[in-house]
């Protein structure tokens, strides 16, 4: 079974009596023809890979282009210096997003969630959450199922490709996956998870994909930070009982329409937006070859 709407997921969990994460796992088992334990083991491996990537971060690592590296370490030092502007938890989330984005740019092993360019959002909220609230690994695996279920619907109904839908389809999708995962960890309802997903998408609707030099580095790494903050704010609004006035599936339909409306220069071609600034043009393949 593949879910093609958020409403379908909500109806499935209601009719089956299963928690949403387990309804999503059962759908995964049917789709892949595997047992629940095999599915669980695969998802646990994803969590382990996120943790390993976070631990493997080295501040001294630099990407081949020289555009990325070291910012995760700068944020960590700023936190240790005391009284960070956003408080210790949010600051750790920011640092985690930077670390993971830089790991991707430096060609380390990461989890595409849903893409490599957006790989920092989910681990940046889940791993600091686990440390802050002493969440067990099993709860984090459940949260990954929730994230994957919403990601499945986004991919089917809109897009997770920057080339197809702009960065709203990458960082926006990652935030829309992370937000309901956080709601799950906080004991929220499936309806609150759906609203968190919708609000996260709406907050980044229309975000363009304009990578400098066509590389998944600038502004991609720092947009992972924004995606993580978006997920946290959407989750907290949903947990407070705030709802998306536009139904979640209609939000995703709007996301698809907006992505299709973006000019090709703002869909991962490296020809518009920040990529077309004087700084960005210095990193076009032609100019790089001249150095």
């Amino acid at each position: 079974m593949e879910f093609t709407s958020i409403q379908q997921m909500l109806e499935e969990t209601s009719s089956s009596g299963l928690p949403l994460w387990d309804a999503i796992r059962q759908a995964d088992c049917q789709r892949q023809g595997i047992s629940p334990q095999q599915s669980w083991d695969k998802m646990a491996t994803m969590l382990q890979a996120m943790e390993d990537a976070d631990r493997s971060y080295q501040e001294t690592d630099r990407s081949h282009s020289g555009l990325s590296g070291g910012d995760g370490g700068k944020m960590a030092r700023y936190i240790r210096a005391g009284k960070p502007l956003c408080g210790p938890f949010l600051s750790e989330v920011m640092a985690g997003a930077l670390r993971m984005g830089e790991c991707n740019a430096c060609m380390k092993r990461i989890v595409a969630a849903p893409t490599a360019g957006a790989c920092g959002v989910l681990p940046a909220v889940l791993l600091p959450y686990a440390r802050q609230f002493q969440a067990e690994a099993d709860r984090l695996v459940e949260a990954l199922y929730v994230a994957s279920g919403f990601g499945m619907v986004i991919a089917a109904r809109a897009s997770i490709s920057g080339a197809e839908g702009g960065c709203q389809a990458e960082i926006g999708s990652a935030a829309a996956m992370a937000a309901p995962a956080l709601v799950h960890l906080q004991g929220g309802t499936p309806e609150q998870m759906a609203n968190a997903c919708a609000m996260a998408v709406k907050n980044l609707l229309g975000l363009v994909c304009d990578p400098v030099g066509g590389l998944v580095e600038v502004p991609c790494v720092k947009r992972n930070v924004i995606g993580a903050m978006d997920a946290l704010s959407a989750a907290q609004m949903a947990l407070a009982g705030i709802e998306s006035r536009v139904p979640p599936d209609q939000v995703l339909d709007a996301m698809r329409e907006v992505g299709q409306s973006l000019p090709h220069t703002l869909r991962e071609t490296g020809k518009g937006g920040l990529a077309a600034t004087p700084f960005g043009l210095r990193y076009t393949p032609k100019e790089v070859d001249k150095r």
Side-chain angles (χ1 to χ4, degrees), residues 115-193:
T115 65
C119 69
V121 177
L122 257 175
V125 297
L126 294 184
L127 302 185
Y129 180 96
R131 294 190 290 267
Q132 177 78 13
F133 298 101
Q134 290 80 53
E136 297 292 335
D138 284 359
R139 288 286 288 164
L140 297 183
V141 174
E142 292 174 4
L144 286 178
Y145 274 110
V146 171
S148 69
F150 282 92
M152 180 192 308
V153 174
I154 293 169
R157 204 170 189 97
S159 177
I160 59 170
S161 165
E164 186 175 29
C167 199
Q168 62 165 12
E170 298 213 14
I171 295 297
S173 295
M177 294 164 63
L182 286 165
V183 172
H184 169 76
L185 289 171
Q186 285 290 92
T189 66
E191 289 73 20
Q192 288 174 326
M193 297 176 207

Side-chain angles (χ1 to χ4, degrees), residues 10 45 89-90 103 116 196 236:
L10 298 183
T45 299
F89 176 61
L90 290 184
C103 280
Q236 183 147 305

Side-chain angles (χ1 to χ4, degrees), residues 56-77 95-108 215-222 224 279 283:
S56 72
Y57 175 80
Q58 296 290 329
E59 185 180 353
T60 54
D61 287 343
R62 294 293 182 274
S63 65
H64 181 71
S65 70
L67 285 168
S68 299
D71 286 342
K74 289 178 184 176
M75 182 62 73
R77 289 198 303 277
L98 289 169
R99 287 196 297 269
M100 202 64 65
E102 290 179 336
C103 280
N104 175 52
C106 294
M107 309 309 271
K108 293 192 174 183
L215 304 169
V216 187
E217 299 187 50
V218 178
C220 318
V221 172
K222 297 177 181 70
N224 277 269
F279 174 86
Y283 287 88

Side-chain angles (χ1 to χ4, degrees), residues 156-159 168 205 251-261:
R157 204 170 189 97
S159 177
Q168 62 165 12
L205 201 64
V251 171
L252 298 185
D253 292 343
M255 177 185 177
R256 182 188 67 249
E257 181 181 357
V258 169
Q260 292 172 346
S261 300

Side-chain angles (χ1 to χ4, degrees), residues 25 28-29 32-45 145:
R25 177 174 68 163
D28 178 57
C29 291
Q32 296 196 65
I34 59 177
S35 70
Q37 188 60 53
Q38 288 174 315
S39 174
W40 179 276
D41 291 344
K42 284 187 176 183
M43 195 64 80
T45 299
Y145 274 110

